[in-house]
Amino acid sequence: MGEKVVAGGFDLSDRQRYRRKHHECLEGLARLLKEKRFDRPKNLMGLEIELNLAGADGMPRMMNAQVLERIASQDFQTELGMFNLEVNIVPHRLGGRVFDQLAEELRTGLAYAHRKAGEVDAGIVMIGILPTLSRNDLVSANLSHVDRYLLLNDQMRAARGEDFTLDIEGVERLTCTSTSIAPEAACTSVQLHLQVTPGRFADVWNAAQAVAALQIAVGANSPFLFGRELWRESRPPLFQQATDTRPPELQAQGVRPRTWFGERWVESAYDLFEENLRYFPALLPICDEEDPLRALDDGGVPSLKEMVLHNGTVYRWNRPVYGVADGMPHLRVENRVLPAGPTVTDVIANAAFYYGMVRALAEDSRPVWSRLPFADAAANFDTACRHGIDAELRWPRRGRAGGLATVPAVTLVREELLPLAAAGLDAWGIEPADRDYYLGVIEERCRRRVNGASWQVDTYHRALEAGLERDVALAATTRRYAELMREGEPVHTWPAGLPTLARTTAGRG
C-alpha cells in the first residue's frame, strides 16, 4: 500500500482486466517458486512503528502534514489518520548487537521527531490506541490527504453499501456507526518483517501464527476506545469491524472478513496469495503495464504489481510479502500483531521475543502446528486480545502423552517459550547479554503481570476512585503514559496511578 495510487473511479472492465492480470501474477509467482529464482537467505529483519500525535493535554493533534514537513526525513511517512505517523527502520541483519542498535536508532529518531512535533504544539506517543480519541476525531475529514487512503475509503464504503458498524463488548460495550474507515486509524501497530526463503516460508508463517496469541498476551497495550474500556488489546476487533466490507447478510453467509486471522496452516507462500485472489474482490483494481509472464520469458523478474497491491488490502495479522530488491525477488513474513509502545525498550523486547520464538519453533522437529489445531490457535488469539496478560491459552502438552492443556499465558511464556526464544536468538547469533536483557523484560512482565494495557487500566481506575470524571481520568492517564514513555524505563517498572492524585490523597489523610 506504499505505492502511489491515483484517485479515480473503476468500471466493470477494470475489474475484469485486473482479475486476469492477478491470475497472471499468481502464475508468475508459481514459476518463480518452481524455478527457484528467489534471493538466498540474508537473515534480514525490518521494523515499522505507527505513531500518534498528541498535545501536552493528551488530546490528539490532526497535523501530521505539518509535523512531517518539519521532520523532513524519508524514515517518517504519513499514515491513515491526520494524527498518525509511521517510522520505518532500514533492514538490519539479525545477529550480534542488532537489538541494541535498533533501540539506539529508534530513540534518536523518535526524540528528533518529538522535538519537531513540539514546534507545532504536538508530541509523539507510542500506544496501541490513544485513549483520548473521540468519535468526532475519527471521521473522513481527518483522513490524511493522500490519494490511496481517500480512494481506499471510497471503495470500501461502496463495497459495504452502508455505514460501518462497531460493536465491541469487553469490560464495557461500545456500539456506534461510522460513514468511513476512519476508525481504523485508531489502531497503531508495530510491524516486524523477516526475509525468508520459499522453502522456509511456511514453517515461519505457521510458527508466527501459533505464537500470535503469546505476543498479544505479553504485549497488549490498547484497552480503551471512545471512552470505553473494552478488550486488553482492542485493535484486532476494531480493525476487523472498521474495514469490514461485508453487510450483515454476507456476514451471515460466512463470507470472510478482509481483516482475519486465517483458517488453516499453509504449505507455501503461494497458498496465501492464492487465497487472497479466491476470497477477496479487488478494492483497487489498478493495472500495471508489465506483462509478468513475458517478463519471465525474457529472463527478467516481474514486480507482480497487481498481486502486491491486492495483498495490501487483505489485512492478515501475519501477512506474506513479495518484493524485488537489486533485481532479485524475495519473500517476507510481515508480523502485524503487536501494538505500538509503550517504550523503545518494550518494543525491542517484543521483537526479540518474536524473532527468537519463530526461529526455534520453525526448526522444531515436532512443529507446534502439527500438534495445535488451527482453530485453537485462532481461539487463543481472540482470548489473548480479550484478557491480555491474564489470558489462559490452549497449548500442546510436552512429552509423549500429547494432547492439549489450558495454561496461563504467563506460565507458558516463562516455563516454555522464553527458553525457546533464547535458543532461537542463539541460533540467530544474538549477543548473549542482549538476549538476556530483552527477554528479561518479557520475563518481568510475566512475573509482575504488568504490560501496557494493565498499567493503563490500573492507572485509569485509580483516577476514577480519586473522583476524576471518565474523560478527565483518560486524559490524565494518557499524559502520565506519555511522560513515562519518554523517560524510557520498561512498562513493568512503571508506578501505577497519577503522582498528583497520590499527593493530594496523602495530603487529605
Side-chain angles (χ1 to χ4, degrees):
M1 284 302 295
E3 295 290 329
K4 183 177 181 182
V5 174
V6 178
F10 303 111
D11 59 26
L12 182 61
S13 64
D14 292 324
R15 296 184 183 279
Q16 291 173 328
R17 180 171 178 244
Y18 186 87
R19 189 178 291 113
R20 286 196 301 271
K21 284 291 300 289
H22 198 161
H23 276 287
E24 291 172 0
C25 287
L26 268 182
E27 186 179 341
L29 175 65
R31 281 180 56 179
L32 285 166
L33 291 168
K34 183 178 180 180
E35 295 167 11
K36 300 182 178 179
R37 297 275 301 277
F38 283 83
D39 199 3
R40 294 187 301 275
K42 294 180 178 176
N43 293 351
L44 288 179
M45 59 159 289
L47 177 65
E48 305 170 32
I49 307 176
E50 295 162 350
L51 307 164
N52 290 280
L53 291 172
D57 56 359
M59 306 305 290
R61 292 286 189 270
M62 306 295 167
M63 50 178 49
N64 61 1
Q66 299 95 308
V67 173
L68 284 169
E69 183 180 1
R70 285 163 172 78
I71 293 174
S73 167
Q74 292 189 349
D75 292 343
F76 289 83
Q77 305 289 335
T78 55
E79 254 301 327
L80 182 61
M82 287 184 177
F83 60 96
N84 300 143
L85 301 176
E86 181 175 89
V87 59
N88 298 282
I89 300 298
V90 296
H92 284 60
R93 190 178 300 275
L94 263 170
R97 303 299 304 272
V98 65
F99 292 124
D100 265 1
Q101 292 165 14
L102 285 168
E104 183 58 31
E105 288 177 32
L106 274 174
R107 287 191 187 100
T108 301
L110 292 175
Y112 172 75
H114 182 66
R115 288 197 302 274
K116 289 299 180 181
E119 295 175 5
V120 287
D121 297 322
I124 302 293
V125 182
M126 279 198 304
I127 194 168
I129 297 175
L130 194 66
T132 50
L133 284 168
S134 72
R135 290 178 59 186
N136 292 333
D137 293 320
L138 293 172
V139 294
S140 56
N142 287 335
L143 293 174
S144 294
H145 291 159
V146 177
D147 281 347
R148 68 179 183 273
Y149 298 138
L150 302 177
L151 182 54
L152 188 65
N153 180 57
D154 290 345
Q155 294 301 305
M156 282 190 159
R157 288 177 59 198
R160 184 172 173 89
E162 59 189 79
D163 288 353
F164 295 86
T165 299
L166 302 183
D167 187 350
I168 305 173
E169 186 165 9
V171 177
E172 299 176 296
R173 186 174 184 180
L174 170 71
T175 56
C176 63
T177 59
S178 173
T179 60
S180 75
I181 64 170
E184 177 197 335
C187 305
T188 47
S189 309
V190 172
Q191 289 143 35
L192 302 172
H193 290 253
L194 180 61
Q195 184 177 330
V196 295
T197 59
R200 284 178 52 79
F201 180 94
D203 288 347
V204 171
W205 188 86
N206 289 338
Q209 288 283 92
V211 301
L214 282 307
Q215 289 181 272
I216 289 289
V218 299
N221 196 28
S222 315
F224 300 110
L225 178 65
F226 299 164
R228 294 288 180 270
E229 183 184 344
L230 301 174
W231 295 12
R232 289 302 183 255
E233 187 50 53
S234 303
R235 286 167 40 257
L238 169 59
F239 206 107
Q240 177 174 324
Q241 294 179 20
T243 61
D244 200 343
T245 54
R246 308 168 302 163
E249 295 81 4
L250 291 185
Q251 294 180 38
Q253 291 174 36
V255 172
R256 295 159 181 84
R258 297 192 84 94
T259 300
W260 70 325
F261 187 78
E263 61 190 15
R264 61 176 175 139
W265 307 116
V266 302
E267 297 179 359
S268 165
Y270 183 90
D271 294 350
L272 299 173
F273 288 110
E274 189 275 334
E275 279 184 353
N276 288 353
L277 174 59
R278 182 154 43 103
Y279 294 148
F280 302 105
L283 289 176
L284 302 172
I286 301 167
C287 288
D288 189 64
E289 294 303 315
E290 176 189 70
D291 181 332
L293 301 180
R294 179 174 296 175
L296 278 168
D297 290 340
D298 293 341
V301 175
S303 59
L304 308 182
K305 287 283 184 68
E306 291 81 10
M307 185 186 80
V308 169
L309 180 59
H310 187 61
N311 187 51
T313 66
V314 178
Y315 305 103
R316 298 177 185 272
W317 296 108
N318 285 292
R319 177 189 273 168
V321 178
Y322 170 88
V324 180
D326 300 323
M328 290 290 290
H330 67 264
L331 292 171
R332 303 194 304 274
V333 174
E334 180 189 27
N335 178 262
R336 302 158 52 81
V337 168
L338 290 163
T343 67
V344 168
T345 296
D346 288 301
V347 168
I348 300 301
N350 289 339
F353 186 47
Y354 168 74
Y355 287 116
M357 281 194 297
V358 164
R359 175 70 183 257
L361 291 173
E363 296 180 351
D364 195 331
S365 59
R366 292 183 65 219
V368 66
W369 56 94
S370 69
R371 298 175 286 136
L372 179 69
F374 193 91
D376 284 300
N380 281 345
F381 184 71
D382 183 86
T383 298
C385 290
R386 289 177 183 274
H387 302 293
I389 201 112
D390 296 319
E392 296 191 350
L393 307 176
R394 300 282 286 166
W395 197 255
R397 288 189 179 93
R398 286 184 283 186
R400 295 185 178 181
L404 300 177
T406 300
V407 188
V410 291
T411 302
L412 181 59
V413 170
R414 293 181 72 185
E415 294 184 358
E416 187 168 343
L417 294 173
L418 278 172
L420 275 176
L425 294 180
D426 287 344
W428 288 120
I430 298 297
E431 182 73 27
D434 287 4
R435 173 202 67 201
D436 293 344
Y437 175 71
Y438 289 109
L439 293 185
V441 170
I442 305 297
E443 162 83 25
E444 283 300 302
R445 279 193 220 152
C446 292
R447 190 176 69 82
R448 304 185 191 195
R449 288 182 176 258
V450 172
N451 59 14
S454 69
W455 182 90
Q456 288 185 57
V457 168
D458 191 0
T459 297
Y460 164 73
H461 281 284
R462 291 181 186 220
L464 291 182
E465 290 163 6
L468 270 61
E469 296 294 327
R470 179 185 293 254
D471 290 348
V472 177
L474 285 170
T477 298
T478 304
R479 292 194 299 272
R480 179 60 173 159
Y481 176 103
E483 177 186 344
L484 291 168
M485 179 201 77
R486 280 187 267 282
E487 288 179 7
E489 293 301 316
V491 71
H492 68 263
T493 69
W494 291 8
L498 304 170
T500 51
L501 288 179
R503 288 194 293 271
T504 302
T505 304
R508 287 173 182 166

